[in-house]
Amino acid sequence: MLNKFTLLPPTSSRPGVQLKMVDFHQFGEKRVPFEGGQFIVAPGATSKPDTHDVSECWFFAQGQGLLNYDGINYEVQQGDYLFFEPRKTHYVHNNGDAELIIYTVWWMERL
């Protein structure tokens, strides 16, 4: 049987920015060793700067934008896949005409 995950209702940290978390626990607590969701940034909107102790990956499914990662700006677009080190501040601005859709996963590294 194929298990399809459910997206939870969206939360927002800023106008034009929302995160729909995936309910990874619906098939059993602690079975999936990471968290994640769908991150949507409206045209002209900017996500809140984020710094945390977890590692994170973003996959850009739609749109284009300007990503600030650890103080340096990078152009990003559909198809880009990025890895963020822990404790590196990052945020994205949608400088395009369409929604910027990002799929994100994060986890605590066990070194």
Side-chain angles (χ1 to χ4, degrees), residues 77-96:
Q77 63 185 350
Q78 180 178 337
D80 288 346
Y81 209 125
L82 307 177
F83 173 74
F84 301 146
E85 298 280 350
R87 294 171 295 287
K88 300 285 186 181
T89 301
H90 52 278
Y91 60 91
V92 67
H93 173 75
N94 182 344
N95 59 6

Side-chain angles (χ1 to χ4, degrees), residues 45-75:
T46 303
S47 67
K48 180 177 152 186
D50 197 18
T51 307
H52 40 65
D53 291 331
V54 297
S55 295
E56 184 172 14
C57 287
W58 282 7
F59 173 72
F60 290 80
Q62 176 182 297
Q64 64 184 40
L66 185 64
L67 172 81
N68 184 286
Y69 177 69
D70 201 27
I72 301 172
N73 288 324
Y74 300 91
E75 292 287 334

Side-chain angles (χ1 to χ4, degrees), residues 88-108:
K88 300 285 186 181
T89 301
H90 52 278
Y91 60 91
V92 67
H93 173 75
N94 182 344
N95 59 6
D97 297 327
E99 286 186 330
L100 182 58
I101 299 177
I102 303 163
Y103 289 94
T104 176
V105 294
W106 62 89
W107 64 96
M108 185 64 69

